[in-house]
Amino acid sequence: KKWKQLSRLQRSVILFLFAALAVCGVISYTSMGEPWKSLTNKSLDDQRTEPEIPGLKLANPAVLPAPQKADANLGNYPELSPQKPPKPPHVRRGPSNLQIKPPRGDVRLKTRHDTGRVIEELVQADKEEKTEKSVISWRGAVIEPDQSTESPSSKIKEPEKKPSSVEAEVQKEPVPINERQIAVIEAFRHAWKGYKDFAWGHDELKPLSKSYSEWFGLGLTLIDALDTMWILGLKEEFEEARKWIVNDLVFDKNVDVNLFESTIRILGGLLSTYHLCGDSLFLEKAKDIGNRLMPAFKTPSKIPYSDVNIGRGTAHPPRWTSDSTVAEVTSIQLEFRELSRLTGDEKFQKAVDEVMKHVHTLSGKNDGLVPMFINTNSGQFTHLGVYTLGARADSYYEYLLKQWIQGGKKENELLEDYMRAIEGVKKHLLQRSQPKKLTFVGELAHGHFSAKMDHLVCFLPGTLALGAHNGLPADHMKLAEALIETCYQMYAQVETGLSPEIVHFNLHAQKGHKDVEIKPADRHNLLRPETVESLFYMYRFTGDKKYQDWGWEILQNFNKYTRVPTGGYTSINNVQNPSNPEPRDKMESFFLGETLKYMFLLFSDDIDLINLDKYVFNTEAHPLPIWVPA
Ligand code: DMJ
């Protein structure tokens, strides 16, 4: 009745208002719906990418962003994690980390109580950063642009992907280094002096005869040590080494190199150095050696040959067999995958991923444990029935976990193989010694257990701890704790306090016998890193100072029995004879590449000094960035 009493104009106005209200309502409903929609989709995606390993529940929440959807397209390389820590209010450009720096606490306090000023300072710092783009930062110091190299012959004009942490590692507020770290620096300098004086540009120092040995003729020690110098803050030494690379490192040589060794030491060393310092010289060299190693994959089975002639572009197996070593063909993946990501060229990753996929499907495993050899023609395992976590198999297990971490924890087959293998270790290889009941990893040969353990196996506690840190079951950490104690005892129960290459554990208590027995052929020490490596992981993840103390003892014993007064350290023949450990006259490149680097990191309380949520170490201790979804 009332509606009819209204004039036409009044009715039109009311109708118009209703229509307008309805339109507004529809618009606001759709815009409010979007976030809900994306939230719902996100959680579905997350669920889809959960690892589907039966019985596996990730113990800890993931430390990294949710993994990407599995992407079959190899060309889609994930971006790096944003590795820049919050920038401190003042960008410190100046002395290296050898100087005493204010504690990090200052920065945190400021952020909490003085936010306004901090924002202003951040803006200012950002401006400064932009004006400084033309310099290469050197952990607190600066290398002028003209010092950086861009070889005219370089095919890589600009790296397709930026290095991860160039500025990040530099601009954070450094934690002051402590006395033990200074002792490591001193040890490094002493080792470097020997190398520089008697072996410069050659593969390895022979410190007693004051000469050198050649393996590939590629300055192996120098390249292996590059990122250690960077991490230790040894600017002068780094610069000298860099100059040698600019002027003297040539890969176009008629020389046979071992695919695995040159990948982990040379390719790995160059890639990690590139990431730490951002100098494209290192990426260019990495690409060069990477390309020259590719002929190794031209085999009937695509399982690579052990040796490549990097000048001629030919590859071959060892003279006496067409087999390759399982650890060797499955421990080159981190490096080749990263090379693909950096260059955008998928061929590197494709070649090594194919190896992993193939090994994943192979029969001949024993509850995830792999034999030591694989045939390059048939692609099948050979010499079946022998299982070890030591030589020839060791880093297969290490790289299963580390590739999974590198790729953002989404490649489930890798995790599956790793989890199975650890179950296999528990089932077949774990035993306890007498009298101290040390948990150790023995070997299995055709159903017979041997209480033999290589020092090489001491990588395992660190790897287990890394897995537990990344959400794998807590009992992996328990096992890591037990095993690192054993590895320490392999040093502590020996007369020089240095571990032999191989020990045999006593399974039965005998009067006057320790847990560890050493055979005459096994009593050498090559300055290997594995125990110190695991001590580093254990300290990072637990904060238990005993791990630092154990590492400190080991460093002192290296100094006591392996240090050569005229420069360098030497491997020794007899860890059981403190009055004559019988120096062997050789300093392995991994002493500088790995052992001293892990020592330095072990003694550090700075979790950002190679943050384990951002980097994954290759098996030669060269840190490579962890990829996260773009
Ligand atoms: C290094 O070259 C690597 O750590 C490799 O995985 C095993 N052998 C040496 C160190 O012992």
Side-chain angles (χ1 to χ4, degrees), residues 381-490:
F381 288 130
T382 64
H383 303 80
L384 301 184
V386 181
Y387 303 100
T388 173
L389 265 273
R392 296 188 183 277
D394 48 1
S395 43
Y396 160 73
Y397 304 101
E398 179 188 348
Y399 268 37
L400 287 174
L401 179 77
K402 288 183 171 178
Q403 285 175 82
W404 178 68
I405 292 171
Q406 178 191 44
K409 300 200 255 191
K410 64 183 172 144
E411 294 153 291
N412 287 347
E413 284 184 355
L414 295 166
L415 178 61
E416 207 176 284
D417 288 350
Y418 177 74
M419 292 299 294
R420 283 214 180 99
I422 299 306
E423 288 312 304
V425 170
K426 288 192 222 162
K427 188 168 164 191
H428 300 289
L429 304 181
L430 278 193
Q431 281 281 1
R432 298 184 105 191
S433 67
Q434 294 294 348
K436 283 203 162 175
K437 303 199 178 355
L438 302 173
T439 302
F440 70 93
V441 182
E443 296 183 356
L444 198 64
H446 310 292
H448 294 288
F449 180 79
S450 158
K452 163 183 179 272
M453 180 164 150
D454 294 354
H455 182 273
L456 287 169
V457 181
C458 289
F459 81 92
L460 186 60
T463 298
L464 286 167
L466 181 65
H469 175 73
N470 279 281
L472 302 189
D475 72 321
H476 285 205
M477 192 63 188
K478 285 271 153 265
L479 182 54
E481 281 164 5
L483 288 174
I484 191 60
E485 166 82 41
T486 307
C487 289
Y488 168 64
Q489 289 299 328
M490 285 164 63

Side-chain angles (χ1 to χ4, degrees), residues 224 260-261 264-265 394-395 398 455-456 528-530 533 590 594 619-621:
D224 221 358
F260 163 74
E261 297 291 358
I264 64 169
R265 301 186 199 212
D394 48 1
S395 43
E398 179 188 348
H455 182 273
L456 287 169
R528 284 198 192 276
E530 291 76 16
E533 168 186 352
F590 51 69
E594 296 195 70
T619 192
E620 188 76 6

Side-chain angles (χ1 to χ4, degrees), residues 452-455 500-504 517-519 522 524:
K452 163 183 179 272
M453 180 164 150
D454 294 354
H455 182 273
E501 179 74 356
I502 299 169
V503 299
H504 287 77
E517 299 282 353
I518 305 167
K519 304 204 165 167
D522 304 333
H524 48 289

